[in-house]
């Protein structure tokens, strides 16, 4: 438009039939004037789309796990168990790990993905006690007669060296993995500061 401000004034005010275009017209005026939205208070109203980073991370983690464990069966939002039964025998407090990786020749992996920043200056790297209890419950409720599952807490990669695993008891250990998201190339999963490598033949992870 040669005379932008004058042209925009011609469509004001909007009548009743065009009132629902008012917000779109406000956006058009901003964009055509070379302006943009910020989170500061101003004269213009704006709609925002908010995404749960936890859900986005879970979706991305599912993709990365399929790449790293192509011969495993990946199940998301694993159903099937409850924490307790009440006095009437009704199941309460559903237990639902984010992911389960199964292979006929290897232990089952139960993973919980958490969008959180691990911290070297905090106890247990910032992993909350409730999260440790949650994974402990997974380890017992999803165990079979042969063996208990391997427990994994999967977090975004940060430059924090995780030293060792968390041992609940004999045969029940929690590993902390970090998913490094790459803008180019393959994503990498780290365990105890060592990249997790999977074999295409047996798909056993080694360090």
């Amino acid at each position: 438009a040669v005379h932008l401000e004058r042209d925009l004034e011609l469509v004001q005010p909007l009548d009743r039939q065009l009132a629902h275009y008012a917000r779109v017209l406000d956006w058009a005026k901003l964009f055509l004037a070379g302006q943009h939205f910020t989170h500061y208070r101003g004269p213009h109203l704006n709609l925002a789309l908010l995404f749960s980073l936890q859900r986005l991370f879970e979706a991305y983690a599912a993709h990365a796990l399929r790449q790293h464990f192509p011969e495993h069966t990946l199940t998301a939002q694993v159903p099937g168990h409850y924490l307790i039964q009440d006095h009437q025998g009704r199941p309460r407090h559903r237990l639902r790990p984010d992911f389960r990786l199964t292979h006929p020749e290897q232990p089952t992996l139960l993973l919980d993905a958490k969008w959180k920043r691990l911290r070297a200056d905090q106890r247990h790297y910032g992993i909350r006690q409730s999260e440790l209890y949650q994974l402990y419950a997974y380890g017992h409720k999803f165990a079979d007669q042969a063996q208990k599952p391997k427990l994994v807490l999967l977090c975004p990669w940060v430059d924090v060296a995780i030293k060792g695993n968390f041992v609940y008891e004999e045969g029940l250990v929690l590993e902390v993995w970090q998913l490094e998201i790459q803008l180019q190339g393959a994503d990498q999963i780290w365990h105890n500061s060592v990249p997790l490598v999977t074999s295409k033949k047996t798909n056993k992870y080694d360090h």
Side-chain angles (χ1 to χ4, degrees), residues 21-175:
Y21 289 106
R23 182 61 56 81
V24 176
L25 182 61
D26 288 339
W27 289 4
K29 292 169 63 176
L30 286 172
F31 295 144
L32 291 173
Q35 299 175 346
H36 59 85
F37 294 111
T38 69
H39 59 280
Y40 299 107
R41 184 176 180 179
H44 301 286
L45 297 176
N46 183 29
L47 297 177
L49 294 177
L50 300 180
F51 296 94
S52 167
L53 290 177
Q54 173 63 33
R55 292 188 178 182
L56 289 175
F57 181 64
E58 289 176 8
Y60 199 96
H63 170 77
L65 290 170
R66 288 189 180 95
Q67 297 297 316
H68 278 75
F69 297 90
E71 296 186 6
H72 281 66
T73 299
L74 176 66
T75 305
Q77 296 297 313
V78 184
H81 293 280
Y82 291 83
L83 183 61
I84 61 171
Q85 289 185 347
D86 64 15
H87 63 284
Q88 295 181 341
R90 295 174 298 188
R92 298 294 186 185
H93 306 301
R94 184 191 301 271
L95 298 175
R96 188 171 294 221
D98 291 327
F99 304 107
R100 178 176 60 197
L101 285 166
T102 56
H103 190 281
E105 299 178 359
Q106 298 176 34
T108 297
L109 287 164
L110 290 180
L111 303 95
D112 234 25
K114 298 292 184 184
W115 177 258
K116 65 185 304 167
R117 182 181 180 86
L118 299 176
R119 299 284 299 270
D121 59 345
Q122 293 186 3
R123 185 184 183 189
H124 306 324
Y125 307 99
I127 301 171
R128 293 180 298 182
Q129 187 177 33
S130 60
E131 294 168 340
L132 295 173
Y133 278 131
Q134 182 182 34
L135 285 151
Y136 180 73
Y138 293 164
H140 278 276
K141 289 293 186 176
F142 287 85
D144 55 31
Q145 296 181 353
Q147 60 185 163
K148 296 175 182 178
K150 298 178 79 68
L151 301 175
V152 175
L153 181 64
L154 182 63
C155 300
W157 183 89
V158 291
D159 192 12
V160 173
I162 306 296
K163 301 177 181 179
N165 304 319
F166 294 97
V167 180
Y168 289 113
E169 58 195 51
E170 183 178 357
L172 191 60
V173 177
L174 172 62
E175 299 181 359

